[in-house]
Amino acid sequence: MNLYIRETKSSDLHDIYRVHCEAFGYDKEAELARDLLNDSSAQPRLSLIAFHGEQVVGHILFTKAKLWDSDPHLSLSLLAPLAVVPDAQRQGVGGELIKAGLEYLAEAGTDLVFVLGHPEYYPKHGFKTAAHYGLKAPYPIPEKHVDAWMVKALNPKVLGEVCGTVICCDALNKEEHWSE
Ligand SMILES: CC(C)(COP(=O)(O)OP(=O)(O)OC[C@H]1O[C@@H](n2cnc3c(N)ncnc32)[C@H](O)[C@@H]1OP(=O)(O)O)[C@@H](O)C(=O)NCCC(=O)NCCS
């Protein structure tokens, strides 16, 4: 699929909302995306939108994260949410959005990127089980879903050197976003 990916603008909000509603089949993630885009504690953030022709087919958001009691110079980011409209799924759009986001974040000096998501999907993009490195999610992840909380090292020197609990931005810091 021929894709064009760019950072989002405030005028994209309607398309972003629609993409998440269509992809997930309900509006909870669309509302989360909207709340995150309005959350000052989420800064710095990265919001990318994918076009196929004139059509918006995907959106990805990365927001600021921190580790309790860690070096304040560490730069951490959290990927959530990611959505591709049903007609464009399984054609590489999600992968291209992840790749573009990770490249941008690496250039910006981000050390680690976290995600809570499909454990069969994100490892294709270098994400690993975060619990193996002593990196805990903001809310406890049930043992049966432990593999869904993952980390990707953009700075390989950092992974294994730091551990603790991740603090996310205010809009994500609600148990409902971590319990399913
Ligand atoms: C999950 C999602 C973002 C993937 O985007 P995509 O553009 O469809 O995926 P890509 O084309 O980049 O990658 C396709 C591969 O990823 C895997 N994959 C895709 N969706 C998957 C899913 N829901 N669970 C597990 N693996 C998945 C498959 O291995 C697939 O390869 P295959 O077609 O050979 O089987 C998209 O399907 C989507 O928006 N789903 C609904 C919302 C959602 O679940 N968002 C992610 C929350 S973590």
Side-chain angles (χ1 to χ4, degrees):
M1 188 181 278
N2 220 345
L3 286 181
Y4 167 61
I5 294 177
R6 65 155 169 79
E7 285 193 60
T8 60
K9 312 173 201 169
S10 50
S11 56
D12 295 321
L13 204 53
H14 181 77
D15 282 321
I16 293 170
Y17 199 90
R18 178 184 53 79
V19 164
H20 287 282
C21 281
E22 287 182 16
F24 286 93
Y26 49 84
D27 62 7
K28 185 179 157 206
E29 302 298 320
E31 282 176 12
L32 173 63
R34 187 192 55 201
D35 291 348
L36 287 167
L37 288 167
N38 284 324
D39 181 354
S40 57
S41 74
Q43 299 276 8
R45 63 152 194 258
L46 175 64
S47 172
L48 298 176
I49 199 168
F51 288 84
H52 179 236
E54 301 283 298
Q55 281 294 108
V56 175
V57 290
H59 176 247
I60 193 167
L61 191 53
F62 298 86
T63 51
K64 181 186 169 73
K66 295 183 270 189
L67 264 185
W68 277 109
D69 275 346
S70 74
D71 178 350
H73 300 296
L74 263 186
S75 175
L76 310 182
S77 186
L78 204 156
L79 189 178
L82 164 65
V84 175
V85 295
D87 283 352
Q89 288 178 6
R90 296 190 177 245
Q91 295 169 66
V93 179
E96 289 301 317
L97 280 166
I98 295 170
K99 202 169 129 217
L102 295 178
E103 278 172 15
Y104 180 104
L105 292 171
E107 265 182 38
T110 306
D111 296 300
L112 301 175
V113 181
F114 294 89
V115 69
L116 179 66
H118 303 298
E120 306 83 20
Y121 184 61
Y122 291 96
K124 292 176 199 281
H125 299 282
F127 284 84
K128 298 174 175 177
T129 305
H132 293 166
Y133 301 94
L135 293 160
K136 294 183 187 156
Y139 287 85
I141 305 293
E143 190 54 38
K144 63 179 177 179
H145 295 312
V146 72
D147 289 348
W149 173 240
M150 293 168 268
V151 61
K152 159 92 180 176
L154 296 180
N155 176 356
K157 289 187 199 137
V158 168
L159 199 57
E161 294 301 313
V162 294
C163 61
T165 303
V166 170
I167 308 170
C168 56
C169 66
D170 296 343
L172 261 176
N173 199 13
K174 294 173 188 159
E175 195 170 7
E176 63 184 280
H177 297 308
W178 301 90
S179 55
E180 296 158 17

